[in-house]
Amino acid sequence: GWIFEKIAFVRSLKAIDTKPPPKGTAANFDIALVPAQEAALSTVVPAINGKTSLAQELSQYAARPFQHKEAWFRQQVAKLQVPWEEGHIKINVR
């Protein structure tokens, strides 16, 4: 039998189709739970567009003083923000 205190499961997500789905439709995936010891992923995080990866940046900032960490975090959040002008719609009600 299983010892539930000593077993863990992770989800396995595999693409069913290798080609991209038509525009406006979702991709097809097969999802399953597998024992954690059977799942493996590379721990290497690739750089994006020739820059350092987020994991590399995190490791660089981990040893820095809190003020530097906070400034870096605020810069990351600022990159994610969308200007208000780009996301609103004006509606005239008569």
Side-chain angles (χ1 to χ4, degrees):
W2 289 355
I3 302 172
F4 289 102
E5 292 82 16
K6 295 187 177 189
I7 192 165
F9 290 93
V10 295
R11 68 177 175 252
S12 171
L13 188 65
K14 294 181 182 177
I16 295 173
D17 298 325
T18 56
K19 60 183 178 182
K23 190 171 185 169
T25 63
N28 291 317
F29 290 93
D30 185 25
I31 188 167
L33 290 177
V34 297
Q37 66 269 20
E38 292 179 15
L41 290 175
S42 173
T43 57
V44 176
V45 180
I48 299 172
N49 297 330
K51 298 178 183 176
T52 59
S53 70
L54 178 61
Q56 291 167 326
E57 282 194 57
L58 286 173
S59 67
Q60 291 171 0
Y61 281 88
R64 294 188 183 182
F66 177 77
Q67 291 81 5
H68 292 132
K69 293 176 187 177
E70 180 186 18
W72 174 83
F73 176 75
R74 290 183 183 274
Q75 289 173 355
Q76 302 308 307
V77 171
K79 290 178 189 176
L80 298 173
Q81 291 177 330
V82 176
W84 183 80
E85 295 80 15
E86 290 182 21
H88 80 282
I89 299 172
K90 186 175 180 178
I91 300 175
N92 291 325
V93 179
R94 297 179 189 193

